[in-house]
Amino acid sequence: MRQTIHFTLNGESVEIEIEPHLTLLQMLRDKLELTGTKEGCGMGECGACTVLLDGKSINSCIFPAIEVDGKSVITIEGLTDPQGNLHPIQKAFIEHGAISAASALREWCSRPRPCWTKS
């Protein structure tokens, strides 16, 4: 039985009807066509699927999509400013030719949100 959920995605209000078995990653990629969030291990270990849920990092590959109802989700697509300019951390990765897994980024930042935002 499909269920309707309402949540904020990258600052925009979303209403979507989903199957209760979907993970947040499946909903983001397959239903909402946001492909910036990647599937790596599929077990919540590698960090490739990391998104922010109400400001806290979670592994979207193991998180039930139905549980974002009434909450706020920020994906990699949500890090750009309204004009589409890259976030400083995205720019730094490009400028320095850095290629890294989300798990490495997690090691650099004990709390991802402060690393992603300007002080």
Side-chain angles (χ1 to χ4, degrees):
M1 180 171 79
R2 298 171 64 95
Q3 293 182 316
T4 301
I5 59 172
H6 308 272
F7 65 103
T8 302
L9 177 61
N10 299 330
E12 301 291 325
S13 181
V14 173
E15 179 180 320
I16 186 170
E17 192 176 286
I18 60 168
E19 298 84 10
H21 68 275
L22 284 182
T23 65
L24 178 54
L25 179 65
Q26 291 168 326
M27 180 181 70
L28 291 171
R29 290 183 62 82
D30 302 339
K31 304 296 182 189
L32 298 171
E33 299 181 354
L34 292 176
T35 57
T37 304
K38 307 297 184 194
E39 181 169 9
C41 67
M43 299 182 302
E45 295 293 325
C46 74
C49 66
T50 301
V51 299
L52 296 176
L53 179 66
D54 287 344
K56 296 180 183 178
S57 63
I58 63 158
N59 297 311
S60 64
C61 70
I62 59 171
F63 194 87
I66 201 86
E67 290 188 28
V68 303
D69 191 35
K71 299 183 179 176
S72 174
V73 176
I74 298 176
T75 67
I76 190 73
E77 290 93 346
L79 292 181
T80 58
D81 66 20
Q83 291 76 37
N85 298 312
L86 295 177
H87 187 276
I89 200 165
Q90 294 169 309
K91 286 181 188 177
F93 269 69
I94 293 168
E95 289 169 6
H96 298 284
I99 299 172
S100 183
S103 57
L105 183 58
R106 279 182 154 179
E107 289 180 30
W108 299 334
C109 305
S110 60
R111 288 181 247 146
R113 185 64 178 167
C115 292
W116 292 2
T117 58
K118 282 186 172 180
S119 299

